[in-house]
Amino acid sequence: MTRQVLRLRLEKSGDARFISHLDFMRTLTHAFVRAGLPVALTQGFHPHPRFSLALALPLGASSEAEYADVELERTVDAMHAARELNRVLPPGIRVRKVQEIPVGAPPLQSQVGAARWLLDLELAEKGTAASEAPPVGGAPAAGEGPGPGGGEVGEVLTRMLAQPHLPLVREKQGKVRTLDARPLIRSARVREDGGPSVRVEAVLAAGNPSLRAAEFARLVAETGGWELRHLRVHLLEVYADRDGELVDPARLGEEAWRDYHRNRKLGFEE
Amino acid sequence: MGERAEEAAGRERLLESVEKPARYLGTEWNAVRKDHREVDILFALAFPDAYEVGMSHLGSKILYHLLNRRGDTAGERVYAPWVDMEARLREEGRPLFALESWRPVREFDFLGFSLQYELNYTNILNMLDLAGIPLQASERGEGDPLVIAGGPCAFNAEPLAGFFDFMVLGEGEEVLDEILDLYARWKRQGRVGGRREFLHRVVEVPGVYVPSFYEVDYHPDGTVREVRARDGAPSRVKKRVLPDLEAVSYPVRPPVPFLDVIHDRIMVEVFRGCSRGCRFCHAGMVYRPVRERSPQAVVSLAGELVRGTGYDQISLASLASADYSAVTRVVRELNERFGPCGIGVSLPSLRMDSFSVDLAREAGRVRRAGLTFAPEAGSQRLRDVINKNLTEDEIMGAVDAAVEAGWDSVKLYFMVGLPTEGDEDLEGIARLVEAVSARGGRGGKRLSLSVSVSPFVPKAHTSFQWEAQDSVQVLEEKFRFLRRRLRIPGVNLSWHDPRMSLVEAVFSRGDRRLGRVLERAWRAGCRFDSWTEFWDFRRWEEAFRSEGLEPGFYANRARPRDEVFPWDHLDAGVDRDFLWEEREKAYRGETTPDCRWDACPGCGVCPELGVAIALRGEGQM
Ligand code: SF4
């Protein structure tokens, strides 16, 4: 029987945003077994399923663009596979699209260069209780009072994008490092201004190098001289980045087929 | 915002503020979420430890299934909230909730705790407090849930007597239904006579123990003079035992945790009980007799569980799975059926012989697990004393087989402070470890050994219930000796805190007066005592001192043959005389064979409870 690779586009919403990246992987692996879909295994002493997620979503973020590349032992009808999976996925996790990818095509994980995020920023004027920026989906700090509105946040975004450099302090395993975040921000604009928070849409570098949504939010707050009281993050889409041109996964899949057929015509084996 | 929206927003903010929110979602695959308007009974199934521990417990999966199989009952789970969640609950003044509905557990009809380990007891008080339920059963009102308990520690939960409305001794499968039927009827009758009346009714159910119906008198020296039953309660409460495992439906769709819990795999219970007769072993006494599931049932349950959960690992669960009479055939069959799909088989708690290693090799064809053995004692003499029927040849045979099969690391468990133990027995541990370590030298690669040493904890209902535990000082000396002796490359020695074992020993043979110590320790901040990061012995010492009770009285004191024990009225079915004879044989170094393969040595369980050993290995597959 011939193998098959499916690229699933999943939604992670509601309670499911509280499932960590690793736990989400495990949850999907279990669902494949429940759905009776035979995931191919790696060789070796500790075989594991041939399965990868395009991006590691931070805990607390929701997403409509969780891409999973999964290699199956045998060919199944892609739509049928999606339906069977949706029967056995816990609340908040749903397959929304499925695309077949040629076996051996590069996994999306290795191609991702940018991601489009929605960020709901709850900002406050500084001066009340000083507090650390919370993690994604973090709890609000104490303190009341109206924060900046969409107009002010929009101005700050414009100012940020006009800067040649945006120094960002990143701490990793106790080591503090300063990097330039400016080239990692592709675009950013205010989408909505409703209630206590301002909704920003931003395209940020993802994969390697990457700018985390929470880091971007911190930069916005710092630039505006505000305090970030609450942050809620949602992933809209991921892309490959070709010298600034954003290519979405659907097109990457089509290109993979084109390459596959061209190689076949030229007589190459996969 | 409407009330619903506000509630939902509050829930999200709470989940956002803890480190592992997936512990509290209640939306795991197979979690049963019933509409409370459509059921009569709300039962909160509580496990007084972290989610990751509770979700690994087979007994809780069984009870959850049986509760929710009833049309009139919603069974929901609740675990000890982790310290970050506890802090948030207290800050917000939000009461402890059940996972599936997020409804406060104090609005439930029952709050049932599983008693697995003495060092979880402070978590019980903490959970009651977080729930807003009075700690003492006597202080609860008509609106409060009935707070009940079961599990192995219920056989001597006297230190908890004041906190529970009632407890259940033995296996819960049948008695649970009887209790709930009774409750449903009482509720339909408009809860006539209040909770007091319900206790009077439920005490008639065999296996139910209502601690408030018993009075305890003490001698001036602190030992028990008498336990008197009142209010028509039976003078002895006999444990319940399920004669045929297959007569009760098994959970083939247990909730599948999002988090990586401790035992994150399918568990098929292949048998219950163990009659090897290790003289220190509590489980080996209170779960008698051995009752197996047929190989056919095991294999078909495994298949249903694979489809129901999606796990890729099947564990054959029991107290000693290599003793299952159909183990070889079942392992082979499971491998044939599920191996090609990448689904592996594992056997916890192996015996240390080459048969078991061969089994582990066969089981590990898909995914090989680590090897863990428990010789328990270092010398043949002491192994005979504890009736661990295991010879040096068998041990070495197991090691050779393991090395040959390609294992390069092995875990070994020992106990120190066992009755009659002397220097030569400790030296025996060291020599045995040396010998095992030397066996691995072949092929250039050393066998790496993790050696875990735990203090012996005398347990109620065992042949060693009369014995003294070594003092903390003596145990520490013994450990230091082993550490000096075991400075061998490739050997990694670890040690269970003797102070934790002291508190465990106190509560495992404790009386009702200890309830006050427990409450004081909890008030001083004790919780998650089995977690080294939260363990604080000084608080315990302080609690004992304040209550005027001496831990040594409970832990380090040898009891005379005829002392009345606080748990004498709690009957596990095993004869006290049999236990004493076994103790005498221990001191003579005589072993007792296993009644599965030899004559019945007469522990008393079968005639007393009207059950029999059930070996079903011959069955078709
Ligand atoms: S009564 Fe005899 S056969 Fe039954 S469990 Fe005890 S020792 Fe075994």
Side-chain angles (χ1 to χ4, degrees):
Chain A
M1 267 180 276
T2 46
R3 295 196 165 194
Q4 180 189 35
V5 178
L6 297 181
R7 178 164 294 166
L8 309 170
R9 184 180 194 202
L10 297 118
E11 167 194 308
K12 193 183 182 196
S13 62
D15 267 6
R17 75 181 172 99
F18 296 111
I19 304 167
S20 74
H21 176 63
L22 279 179
D23 293 340
F24 186 57
M25 297 262 288
R26 198 178 19 251
T27 300
L28 293 181
T29 322
H30 291 156
F32 290 122
V33 178
R34 292 196 292 262
L37 295 173
V39 180
L41 297 173
T42 60
Q43 302 292 311
F45 208 60
H46 297 288
H48 56 91
R50 287 185 188 273
F51 163 74
S52 68
L53 281 172
L55 201 71
L57 199 67
L59 184 66
S62 52
S63 168
E64 55 199 80
E66 292 303 284
Y67 285 95
D69 286 350
V70 56
E71 185 170 331
L72 300 179
E73 286 277 358
R74 59 180 156 79
T75 311
V76 299
D77 176 65
M79 284 313 289
H80 170 77
R83 264 197 311 276
E84 288 303 297
L85 275 170
N86 282 340
R87 254 188 343 102
V88 296
L89 280 166
I93 306 175
R94 283 292 167 273
V95 181
R96 291 301 182 203
K97 272 195 191 133
V98 55
Q99 184 185 26
E100 208 176 324
I101 296 295
V103 177
L108 189 54
Q109 193 181 41
S110 68
Q111 294 175 291
V112 167
R116 184 181 299 275
W117 303 93
L118 280 184
L119 300 98
D120 288 342
L121 299 152
E122 214 180 301
L123 298 159
E125 298 300 339
K126 254 205 179 125
T128 43
S131 71
E132 290 282 295
V136 175
E144 282 304 315
E152 290 160 273
V153 174
E155 276 168 31
V156 164
L157 292 179
T158 314
R159 217 183 326 141
M160 282 169 68
L161 293 174
Q163 301 280 327
H165 301 289
L166 282 170
L168 172 83
V169 179
R170 186 179 276 176
E171 215 188 299
K172 205 175 169 189
Q173 287 154 355
K175 265 205 208 145
V176 179
R177 195 163 68 86
T178 306
L179 64 137
D180 183 8
R182 179 59 194 88
L184 305 180
I185 305 171
R186 302 281 185 272
S187 66
R189 65 186 176 95
V190 172
R191 272 265 301 247
E192 277 165 53
D193 178 8
S197 62
V198 175
R199 174 163 292 184
V200 169
E201 182 178 322
V203 178
L204 308 175
N208 192 17
S210 73
L211 183 64
R212 287 191 282 271
E215 289 173 328
F216 171 75
R218 207 173 78 209
L219 278 173
V220 174
E222 274 168 16
T223 313
W226 300 308
E227 191 185 303
L228 182 59
R229 289 183 39 200
H230 186 257
L231 173 65
R232 175 84 160 71
V233 171
H234 179 79
L235 177 65
L236 287 170
E237 186 56 290
V238 299
Y239 306 95
D241 185 350
R242 289 198 192 129
D243 304 318
E245 190 206 351
L246 300 181
V247 186
D248 66 33
R251 212 177 100 204
L252 290 171
E254 284 159 25
E255 288 178 4
W257 279 116
R258 207 185 50 213
D259 292 347
Y260 171 82
H261 290 302
R262 186 188 297 140
N263 287 344
R264 287 271 292 252
K265 228 178 271 164
L266 295 174
F268 293 124
E269 283 300 311
E270 20 173 303
Chain B
M1 258 196 287
E3 204 178 303
R4 294 269 301 255
E6 212 164 300
E7 169 60 33
R11 178 176 184 271
E12 289 203 26
R13 290 283 164 115
L14 184 59
L15 288 169
E16 285 174 350
S17 66
V18 295
E19 185 200 351
K20 291 186 176 176
R23 284 170 171 153
Y24 311 101
L25 300 180
T27 54
E28 302 97 324
W29 183 249
N30 291 336
V32 182
R33 299 161 81 191
K34 292 191 183 177
D35 184 341
H36 287 187
R37 288 166 305 188
E38 279 163 23
V39 294
D40 299 325
I41 306 174
L42 301 181
F43 194 116
L45 197 56
F47 197 94
D49 204 337
Y51 176 89
E52 288 86 335
V53 181
M55 281 295 281
S56 306
H57 178 239
L58 177 59
S60 300
K61 295 178 208 272
I62 293 176
L63 295 179
Y64 184 75
H65 166 65
L66 293 175
L67 285 169
N68 284 308
R69 221 166 46 110
R70 291 176 65 99
D72 66 351
T73 304
E76 304 194 5
R77 294 160 297 149
V78 56
Y79 302 94
W82 196 245
V83 288
D84 56 352
M85 179 56 105
E86 177 186 345
R88 299 286 292 117
L89 292 176
R90 292 195 186 280
E91 243 168 71
E92 284 189 19
R94 181 193 279 264
L96 184 68
F97 54 86
L99 296 188
E100 281 77 357
S101 63
W102 272 56
R103 188 162 172 181
V105 295
R106 71 158 179 250
E107 293 173 16
F108 279 58
D109 297 277
F110 287 93
L111 176 57
F113 283 92
S114 173
L115 306 179
Q116 300 293 322
Y117 187 25
E118 291 80 358
L119 291 185
N120 287 343
Y121 287 177
T122 53
N123 284 352
I124 297 172
L125 302 195
N126 202 38
M127 288 169 78
L128 287 173
D129 181 62
L130 281 167
I133 298 170
L135 297 188
Q136 297 292 333
S138 59
E139 284 165 19
R140 286 178 202 134
E142 294 303 327
D144 287 313
L146 288 157
V147 181
I148 68 175
C153 292
F155 284 105
N156 180 34
E158 281 301 274
L160 299 174
F163 306 113
F164 288 111
D165 293 291
F166 65 92
M167 304 191 214
V168 175
L169 299 191
E171 296 163 5
E173 281 101 336
E174 294 173 326
V175 66
L176 185 68
D177 267 336
E178 295 164 25
I179 292 167
L180 294 180
D181 287 345
L182 204 65
Y183 184 83
R185 202 173 318 132
W186 175 71
K187 205 174 169 180
R188 272 199 305 276
Q189 295 165 352
R191 302 169 183 268
V192 282
R195 38 203 299 142
R196 185 88 193 151
E197 166 64 18
F198 181 71
L199 292 181
H200 276 288
R201 292 188 186 184
V202 82
V203 77
E204 312 260 322
V205 176
V208 169
Y209 171 47
V210 182
S212 59
F213 289 176
Y214 295 78
E215 244 166 50
V216 185
D217 284 337
Y218 299 89
H219 291 294
D221 67 359
T223 57
V224 173
R225 186 205 309 275
E226 192 193 4
V227 178
R228 250 193 330 273
R230 298 187 279 115
D231 297 293
S235 57
R236 289 169 71 77
V237 182
K238 263 191 215 177
K239 82 163 179 186
R240 293 296 294 263
V241 53
L242 185 64
D244 177 6
L245 293 192
E246 288 175 33
V248 174
S249 154
Y250 192 79
V252 290
R253 295 170 59 91
V256 181
F258 296 119
L259 295 168
D260 193 6
V261 300
I262 296 180
H263 300 297
D264 201 21
R265 57 187 80 108
I266 287 166
M267 283 184 240
V268 184
E269 187 184 30
V270 290
F271 67 86
R272 201 173 289 178
C274 173
S275 43
R276 286 204 165 260
C278 296
R279 289 173 178 138
F280 55 84
C281 181
H282 185 248
M285 283 303 153
V286 301
Y287 290 117
R288 284 175 175 229
V290 169
R291 287 141 294 147
E292 292 188 340
R293 207 179 290 278
S294 68
Q296 186 187 11
V298 169
V299 172
S300 96
L301 287 177
E304 285 182 71
L305 273 153
V306 168
R307 286 187 297 276
T309 64
Y311 278 126
D312 63 1
Q313 189 71 19
I314 302 166
S315 163
L316 300 179
S318 75
L319 290 167
S321 296
D323 288 345
Y324 178 40
S325 59
V327 69
T328 311
R329 289 163 58 212
V330 165
V331 167
R332 199 175 303 135
E333 177 72 18
L334 291 175
N335 264 333
E336 261 164 40
R337 278 198 200 185
F338 301 110
C341 320
I343 293 165
V345 183
S346 63
L347 296 151
S349 52
L350 284 174
R351 268 174 63 70
M352 197 168 187
D353 53 21
S354 55
F355 169 75
S356 299
V357 175
D358 289 345
L359 256 178
R361 185 176 54 185
E362 173 72 19
R365 276 211 320 230
V366 175
R367 215 168 291 105
R368 185 172 276 198
L371 276 183
T372 302
F373 298 120
E376 311 288 9
S379 68
Q380 192 61 53
R381 186 200 70 80
L382 192 52
R383 282 196 298 276
D384 289 345
V385 167
I386 62 176
N387 205 41
K388 184 100 197 172
N389 288 308
L390 184 65
T391 64
E392 186 105 13
D393 282 351
E394 285 171 315
I395 293 175
M396 288 307 160
V399 176
D400 289 342
V403 170
E404 198 160 306
W407 265 283
D408 50 17
S409 68
V410 168
K411 258 192 209 149
L412 296 176
Y413 280 103
F414 292 97
M415 253 189 262
V416 297
L418 285 161
T420 79
E421 180 189 79
D423 291 349
E424 60 299 342
D425 301 302
L426 291 175
E427 178 58 28
I429 294 180
R431 269 209 216 106
L432 189 61
V433 172
E434 277 171 350
V436 170
S437 165
R439 276 305 228 277
R442 257 180 265 157
K445 230 180 163 190
R446 250 183 189 284
L447 195 58
S448 101
L449 292 179
S450 324
V451 180
S452 294
V453 183
S454 313
F456 161 63
V457 179
K459 295 273 173 172
H461 300 281
T462 68
S463 315
F464 290 158
Q465 60 181 348
W466 289 271
E467 303 305 308
Q469 186 184 44
D470 274 348
S471 69
V472 168
Q473 289 70 22
V474 168
L475 288 166
E476 280 180 331
E477 256 164 54
K478 290 179 174 178
F479 178 51
R480 275 195 293 273
F481 168 81
L482 286 175
R483 204 167 43 192
R484 272 197 309 278
R485 282 289 282 107
L486 289 176
R487 286 209 183 100
I488 306 169
V491 174
N492 182 11
L493 181 66
S494 64
W495 175 252
H496 190 268
D497 188 336
R499 286 170 189 82
M500 277 189 183
S501 301
L502 170 70
V503 173
E504 183 188 342
V506 167
F507 281 89
S508 65
R509 289 186 298 172
D511 56 38
R512 291 187 174 191
R513 298 175 302 168
L514 286 169
R516 301 199 310 264
V517 176
L518 184 67
E519 189 171 337
R520 197 174 272 273
W522 164 71
R523 287 200 191 281
C526 290
R527 56 178 67 30
F528 288 110
D529 293 295
S530 59
W531 297 71
T532 43
E533 63 259 55
F534 300 115
W535 168 249
D536 185 350
F537 185 57
R538 280 166 321 178
R539 290 181 181 149
W540 279 102
E541 278 182 306
E542 184 51 42
F544 280 110
R545 203 172 311 126
S546 307
E547 292 299 336
L549 290 171
E550 181 51 52
F553 170 81
Y554 297 98
N556 312 122
R557 180 174 64 89
R559 278 85 162 154
R561 175 176 186 173
D562 54 0
E563 181 169 320
V564 176
F565 291 141
W567 55 91
D568 273 347
H569 57 301
L570 306 176
D571 187 356
V574 177
D575 253 14
R576 192 173 151 145
D577 288 339
F578 170 81
L579 293 177
W580 180 262
E581 277 161 34
E582 279 293 296
R583 178 197 177 273
E584 299 283 276
K585 283 172 84 177
Y587 275 86
R588 295 196 300 270
E590 287 172 25
T591 60
T592 300
D594 188 319
C595 57
R596 270 172 293 187
W597 310 301
D598 272 287
C600 159
C603 81
V605 161
C606 295
E608 177 77 12
L609 303 174
V611 282
I613 309 178
L615 302 183
R616 314 179 70 158
E618 301 305 313
Q620 289 280 308
M621 218 150 12

